[in-house]
Amino acid sequence: MLRSLAIRDVVLIHRLELEFTPGLCALTGETGAGKSILLDSLGLALGNRADSGLLRPGAEQARVTAAFDLANGHPVRDVLAEHDIEIDDDQLVMRRVLSKDGRGRAYVNDQPVSVTLLRRLADHLVEIQGQFEQRGLLNAANHRSLLDAYGGLRERAQQVAARYEDWRQALDTYRTAQAELEQARQDEAYLRHEVDELDQLQPQPGEEQQLADQRNRLMNAEKLVDAFNAAEAELTGGEQGRGAEDSLASARRALERIADQAGDDIQAALEALDRAMSETEDALARLRSLSSEIELDSGRQQEIEERYFALKDLSRKHGCEVDELPDVHARLQERLNAIDSGGAHLQALSDAADQARQAFHEEAQALSEARGEAAGRLDAAINAELPPLKLEKATFKTRLQPLEEDDWGPNGIERVSFEVATNPGAHPGPLNKIASGGELSRFLLALKVVLAQVSPERSLVFDEVDSGIGGAAAAAVGDRLARLSEGRQLLVVTHSPQVAARADHHFRVAKASDGEATVTDVSQLSEDQRREEIARMLSGTHVTDEARAAAAKLMGAA
């Protein structure tokens, strides 16, 4: 809800501060008094395009500050949180400053922001209908959600959106698999060559190190054999016939002969000789085994080297380590298998996408039928409001335009738009293209009255909604504005005494001159002042007693 509006140096306004409350608030005054300046000022704070012509002559800068009360859960709070803007005392303050050089600045709660953010916040706070910029109902993008809200179809619309997402995901999965299969088929010859090459080699995990060890032994086979033989000769004695084993055996026999005389202390020495003899036998066995395992066959060495370097070349080709070649082999084989079985897999994905499309279309079609029924009720309700508003020749129509499949989306399979025809037989068209002036405002009033319970709870501003009408039609407008203001805030710029008489709060806009400068001022009226102002609206410049009596009657009837 708009709480206050402070204006500094805008056109004819020098300094002005207004406080607003819920209910129907009427702004009246003579033509040219400056009522439009108030709306221009409010629009400036809401992010409308700045014009240096708004600056009061002689002033350095214009400034407009609009303060709003925010209820808990208001959607503006989420927008503010996105931009790390804090809220104090549940109040939002939007401020716009315009310098005479045409440059401007925008603030929200004293934090500098973009004008784009001001407009985004304004869309949740104020809806202005009339000659000033229109928001909300004139934007066709809002018509579908309003129809769904009116028809109680929001939950079904959400289900349609979910089915649409399922369909798009299934379709994306199918198309991705299709592209991958097509690419794989283009690479099939290459893949088969690579797999055949790996099939022939059959690389094994850890094989590189094994081959490197074997290759190293073969390359040094003669040196190794000579070393093993020399070590064996030293242990066995070689041609001299007396080696380590014989020496250890002789030493043990010598000690055994004196064991009885040496006592128990000799036993440790005998055990040590036994261990030495056992270790020597084991060493000889190992040397003979190693010697027997070494091959001096140059053909075997060549075979190992060929395999070793073949694996090295293949690893470089595939950009991996030799030990990773088995995994590469498996992956390439999987791609080939996918090509062989890809047709069946692709068909399964295609079938899944078709089923998801069918599920979406069935729910979307049911939603379309429900929207058609809701549109019929909405049209009847709004058309019933038009005759009292002096729009008896006009017709309102909710248009449901089927979309081509390429244009289907999460909102369904049709486009929703509100259209009017102002004369019998005329072709319906968009509200802002067919209706004009007061007609447009009264159309929007009819829509607002019917959609009051489902429209977002924003402050509403009507600019001369009663233009070109009077008498019973003006009274009908006043009655509808009063009904619409229940539980919300309406600001109405009006020339109609019937509308002003229904207001909960009444402001008078007046222009005064001191001979040097002309200034617009706004004052809130008391009950007596209201009666006098409504009498002026009824009779003109000269207020008569009859006009005052008529004003009192209008106010009493309200």
Side-chain angles (χ1 to χ4, degrees):
M1 182 192 76
L2 179 63
R3 180 174 177 178
S4 64
L5 182 66
I7 305 172
R8 299 288 185 273
D9 296 321
V10 176
V11 193
L12 298 179
I13 297 176
H14 178 42
R15 290 181 178 271
L16 181 64
E17 294 186 4
L18 300 175
E19 299 287 334
F20 298 98
T21 53
L24 178 57
C25 174
L27 290 92
T28 65
E30 296 181 357
T31 301
K35 297 184 295 297
S36 62
I37 300 175
L38 293 177
L39 297 188
D40 289 338
S41 300
L42 177 59
L44 193 64
L46 297 177
N48 282 3
R49 182 177 178 274
D51 184 350
S52 59
L54 292 174
L55 195 66
R56 188 174 68 86
E60 292 296 319
Q61 66 178 19
R63 179 179 301 182
V64 181
T65 304
F68 295 85
D69 287 331
L70 295 182
N72 290 331
H74 197 289
V76 159
R77 293 179 180 271
D78 294 332
V79 180
L80 295 176
E82 290 177 18
H83 294 80
D84 296 323
I85 299 175
E86 297 182 354
I87 305 174
D88 294 327
D89 299 326
D90 295 329
Q91 182 171 281
L92 172 70
V93 179
M94 300 168 66
R95 179 159 53 95
R96 189 90 173 272
V97 178
L98 176 63
S99 301
K100 66 179 180 180
D101 60 5
R103 292 183 296 181
R105 300 186 302 277
Y107 302 87
V108 172
N109 286 2
D110 289 328
Q111 180 171 321
V113 299
S114 67
V115 175
T116 300
L117 179 58
L118 284 188
R119 286 195 290 265
R120 185 180 174 192
L121 294 171
D123 285 339
H124 295 291
L125 294 167
V126 179
E127 185 172 335
I128 302 177
Q129 316 288 356
Q131 298 174 8
F132 187 56
E133 180 185 356
Q134 293 89 13
R135 301 178 186 270
L137 289 176
L138 290 185
N139 185 354
N142 297 328
H143 294 173
R144 174 198 50 78
S145 60
L146 287 170
L147 176 62
D148 287 348
Y150 179 78
L153 303 175
R154 284 176 173 166
E155 185 174 342
R156 295 179 68 172
Q158 291 172 356
Q159 292 173 351
V160 166
R163 296 294 78 76
Y164 177 79
E165 183 62 25
D166 293 343
W167 174 34
R168 300 312 301 176
Q169 288 183 359
L171 197 57
D172 288 344
T173 300
Y174 164 73
R175 288 172 175 170
T176 299
Q178 185 182 44
E180 290 176 349
L181 182 58
E182 289 176 356
Q183 184 61 47
R185 283 173 174 165
Q186 292 176 9
D187 299 339
E188 184 174 2
Y190 166 78
L191 286 172
R192 292 199 182 279
H193 170 75
E194 296 301 315
V195 170
D196 287 344
E197 193 173 42
L198 287 163
D199 282 343
Q200 292 175 12
L201 277 180
Q202 286 296 319
Q204 302 298 319
E207 186 176 8
E208 180 185 16
Q209 187 60 47
Q210 295 174 2
L211 290 174
D213 292 343
Q214 292 178 24
R215 177 171 174 266
N216 185 59
R217 285 198 299 270
L218 288 170
M219 290 174 64
N220 298 280
E222 292 185 2
K223 292 181 181 180
L224 293 173
V225 169
D226 289 344
F228 293 158
N229 289 338
E232 183 180 359
E234 291 293 333
L235 291 174
T236 60
E239 295 179 356
Q240 298 178 1
R242 187 172 181 80
E245 286 183 298
D246 293 336
S247 296
L248 290 171
S250 297
R252 193 179 194 291
R253 286 194 296 273
L255 292 178
E256 285 178 342
R257 286 195 292 270
I258 62 169
D260 292 340
Q261 292 81 11
D264 293 338
D265 292 340
I266 198 64
Q267 189 61 37
L270 289 171
E271 291 176 356
L273 285 172
D274 288 340
R275 289 195 299 274
M277 291 175 65
S278 176
E279 292 292 334
T280 300
E281 291 176 358
D282 184 56
L284 281 170
R286 288 180 178 274
L287 286 171
R288 289 164 182 159
S289 175
L290 288 170
S291 181
S292 66
E293 290 176 358
I294 293 178
E295 301 180 32
L296 298 178
D297 184 358
S298 60
R300 174 60 178 164
Q301 180 179 344
Q302 182 178 355
E303 177 184 336
I304 289 176
E305 288 197 347
E306 287 177 354
R307 182 169 180 82
Y308 178 80
F309 287 111
L311 290 172
K312 280 287 192 182
D313 289 342
L314 206 55
S315 71
R316 284 193 294 270
K317 180 178 181 180
H318 290 283
C320 66
E321 299 295 330
V322 171
D323 285 346
E324 295 173 351
L325 284 174
D327 293 335
V328 172
H329 189 189
R331 288 197 298 271
L332 293 175
Q333 187 62 58
E334 287 177 1
R335 291 181 63 184
L336 274 181
N337 294 340
I339 294 174
D340 296 336
S341 62
H345 177 63
L346 197 63
Q347 185 59 50
L349 292 178
S350 176
D351 292 343
D354 289 342
Q355 291 172 6
R357 176 197 176 280
Q358 183 65 23
F360 162 74
H361 186 258
E362 288 177 359
E363 289 210 29
Q365 186 63 43
L367 178 60
S368 294
E369 294 173 2
R371 281 174 174 166
E373 295 175 0
R377 298 196 307 272
L378 178 63
D379 293 349
I382 292 175
N383 285 319
E385 293 287 334
L386 299 182
L389 298 175
K390 204 177 179 180
L391 294 169
E392 61 276 357
K393 295 182 179 180
T395 304
F396 175 87
K397 177 68 176 177
T398 302
R399 184 183 181 194
L400 303 181
Q401 180 185 1
L403 297 173
E404 297 295 331
E405 183 166 339
D406 289 344
D407 296 323
W408 290 358
N411 295 326
I413 58 177
E414 69 278 316
R415 183 179 293 110
V416 179
S417 59
F418 297 158
E419 298 183 347
V420 298
T422 54
N423 293 293
H427 186 71
L431 282 168
N432 56 345
K433 297 294 179 65
I434 301 299
S436 60
E439 282 185 339
L440 176 59
S441 293
R442 295 199 300 280
F443 269 118
L444 296 175
L445 175 59
L447 264 70
K448 274 296 178 184
V449 169
V450 174
L451 297 172
Q453 300 305 315
V454 298
S455 295
E457 292 187 4
R458 295 175 285 198
S459 295
L460 301 177
V461 178
F462 283 89
D463 183 13
E464 299 188 0
V465 65
D466 48 19
S467 176
I469 62 172
V477 168
D479 175 65
R480 282 152 180 78
L481 289 171
R483 280 194 281 146
L484 189 57
S485 68
E486 294 176 1
R488 66 181 65 197
Q489 183 184 60
L490 262 71
L491 277 65
V492 181
V493 176
T494 180
H495 288 286
S496 169
Q498 291 89 343
V499 172
R502 299 301 301 268
D504 300 303
H505 316 284
H506 193 157
F507 291 84
R508 185 173 187 270
V509 183
K511 187 166 59 176
S513 176
D514 60 4
E516 295 183 0
T518 300
V519 177
T520 290
D521 195 16
V522 180
S523 56
Q524 187 168 5
L525 304 182
S526 65
E527 282 299 300
D528 290 341
Q529 290 170 330
R530 282 190 66 206
R531 185 175 61 254
E532 195 70 11
E533 173 66 5
I534 294 172
R536 182 199 62 77
M537 297 170 72
L538 284 166
S539 64
T541 305
H542 180 64
V543 179
T544 65
D545 290 338
E546 290 81 0
R548 292 187 180 93
K553 184 176 181 182
L554 282 176
M555 294 172 64

